[in-house]
Amino acid sequence: VTADLPVPPVLPLAWQGDAEDGTLALLDQTLLPGRELVLLRRTTAEVVDDIRRLAVRGAPLLGLAGAYGLVLAAREARDDAQLRAKADSLARARPTAVNLARAVKGALADARVRSAPPPRRGAVLLEIARRLEAEERAACDAIARHGALALGGLRRVLTHCNAGALVTPGLGTALAPLYALHHRGARIHVWVDETRPLLQGLRLTAYELGKAGVPHAVLADGAAAGLMRRGLVDAAIVGADRVCANGDVVNKVGTYGVALACRHHGVPFFVAAPRSTFDAATPTGAEVEIEERVGDGTRYLAPGTAVADSPTTEPAFDVTPAALVSAFVTPLGTFAPTELPPALFA
Ligand code: MRU
C-alpha cells in the first residue's frame, strides 16, 4: 500500500497454509451483500462448483481460483492423468473469461511443474499461484494510476457489472481508478448499473463502493442511456472477460448497450483490463464462446412475475466492437484500440 492508493475494501480470496494441507478461502459472492461467508475449500470439486455457481467470479479472480485450485488437484491426483483431468475440470468450469483456462493451462505447462517430482508439484504450483496473485495485485495498482490520469477531471462515471476489489487481489480493474481518485480527494460519483439478470452491480459493486465510502447510486440498466442524454454521465468504465486480438471486448451482457449509448452521446467509454485478459489467440469477438446461463434469473424477479412457460434467452456476456472503445486502461498505460501494444498480448 502506498500513499496515493487506498487499501482494497475487501479480500475475496486467500490461500492459507502450505501446499500439503493448506486451504483456499473464498468469500461466497452469491450471498453478498446480505451475508459475508468465507468458504474454506480443500478439494478441486468444491472449487469447480464454486466457479460454476458464481461464488467466485470475475475474470482475474477466476484465474486465481484456477491456479490455487490446481494446488488442491495436485494433492488429490494419484497420477498425471488424474491431474490433467482435474485441471481440465477447472479450466472448463466457465468458458468466456480467458483468465481461467489460461491460468490453469499455463501453470500445468510450466517447465518447473513438469520437471518436479510428483510429491513436490503442489509446492511448485502454489508458488506459481502466489506469483500470479502478486502480479494481478500490481496490475490493479498500475491500472488505478493510469486510469486516474485517463479520467482526468471526469467525475460522474458509470460502470457495468462488478470489476472491483471483489474480482482481484487488489483494487480491481474498472473500479481501481475510481478508488484512487476518491482516495486523493476528487469528488467522484459512480453510477452503478444494476446489471440484470444476476445483479452484480446492485449486489456487489454497490457493496464494495459502500465499504470504501465512495459516493454512488444504483440505476436500472435501462436508465443509463437516459442519464447520458440528460448530461449526467461524464465517462463510463468497465472491465473485460477477454480482449480479442483485434480489440473486441467481451464483457458482462449489457456492456455493448452502454458502449453504444456512450458513442451516441459523446461520452468516453473506457475498458480496464490486466494483461491476463488480453487474448492473442482469439482474433475477434465472433470466435468467443458466450456462456448461456439458462434458468439463472432472466425470468424470475420474484414469484409470479413471469409467464411460467415463456422461453428466455440468457447470454451472460456480449461483445463490444473495438471501434466503440475510446481507450483501454492497462498496467502498461492507456491505449486507443488501434494502438494496443503487442506486449499486452504476450
Ligand atoms: O459473470 P461474472 O460475474 O463473472 O462476470 C464478470 C464480468 O463481466 C466482469 O465485468 C469481468 O469479469 C471483468 S472483472 C475485472
Side-chain angles (χ1 to χ4, degrees):
V1 180
T2 50
D4 69 324
L5 297 176
V7 179
V10 57
L11 183 67
L13 165 150
W15 179 271
Q16 298 170 342
D18 57 20
E20 281 78 53
D21 49 25
T23 51
L24 182 59
L26 297 170
L27 181 61
D28 187 340
Q29 301 198 22
T30 65
L31 303 178
L32 295 174
R35 199 166 156 221
E36 294 172 344
L37 177 73
V38 176
L39 309 163
L40 297 178
R41 295 316 197 196
R42 302 187 57 83
T43 68
T44 318
E46 287 172 325
V47 177
V48 168
D49 184 55
D50 291 335
I51 292 173
R52 286 207 185 116
R53 65 188 187 86
L54 269 59
V56 47
R57 49 154 292 282
L61 200 69
L62 288 170
L64 286 177
Y68 283 115
L70 262 189
V71 182
L72 300 174
R75 197 153 80 191
E76 295 165 330
R78 280 191 298 275
D79 54 34
D80 278 8
Q82 270 196 4
L83 179 58
R84 275 197 304 276
K86 285 177 188 294
D88 213 47
S89 69
L90 282 164
R92 287 171 193 269
R94 288 189 78 190
T96 305
V98 67
N99 306 56
L100 176 58
R102 172 181 279 178
V104 172
K105 289 180 184 158
L108 211 57
D110 191 291
R112 284 163 305 160
V113 176
R114 292 161 68 93
S115 61
R120 276 278 308 150
R121 253 183 219 159
V124 178
L125 285 165
L126 181 56
E127 240 176 79
I128 291 174
R130 286 201 192 283
R131 184 147 36 87
L132 179 65
E133 181 178 338
E135 280 166 18
E136 293 290 15
R137 189 173 295 115
C140 294
D141 288 355
I143 287 172
R145 295 190 177 105
H146 291 303
L149 270 178
L151 284 169
L154 305 175
R155 292 291 174 258
R156 299 165 303 173
V157 183
L158 183 127
T159 192
H160 190 75
C161 195
N162 170 260
L166 280 168
V167 297
T168 63
L171 288 168
T173 58
L175 298 190
L178 306 175
Y179 285 129
L181 286 166
H182 175 72
H183 184 70
R184 296 173 195 172
R187 293 165 67 88
I188 281 290
H189 178 85
V190 187
W191 293 117
V192 179
D193 269 1
E194 65 170 347
T195 316
R196 283 277 290 150
L198 295 183
L199 305 176
Q200 286 92 335
L202 175 68
R203 295 190 306 107
L204 305 176
T205 298
Y207 164 80
E208 59 167 276
L209 290 175
K211 269 190 170 250
V214 179
H216 64 277
V218 182
L219 53 133
D221 297 342
L227 287 192
M228 291 183 204
R229 188 172 181 81
R230 287 159 61 203
L232 299 174
V233 181
D234 299 323
I237 187 164
V238 299
D241 287 86
R242 190 183 299 237
V243 181
C244 304
N246 73 338
D248 285 356
V249 174
V250 186
N251 193 47
K252 180 54 56 196
V253 67
T255 301
Y256 178 40
V258 172
L260 283 169
C262 283
R263 178 55 54 96
H264 184 79
H265 295 97
V267 172
F269 176 78
F270 295 102
V271 175
R275 289 169 67 179
S276 52
T277 300
F278 287 82
D279 179 21
T282 305
T284 76
E287 285 85 43
V288 179
E289 181 184 345
I290 301 292
E291 178 182 354
E292 290 263 344
R293 300 189 68 91
V294 177
D296 236 8
T298 297
R299 225 188 236 285
Y300 301 106
L301 283 169
T305 48
V307 177
D309 54 0
S310 289
T312 57
T313 175
E314 308 195 33
F317 300 92
D318 61 24
V319 178
T320 298
L324 292 179
V325 179
S326 309
F328 286 90
V329 180
T330 80
L332 304 185
T334 300
F335 305 98
T338 48
E339 283 160 14
L340 290 172
L344 278 174
F345 291 92

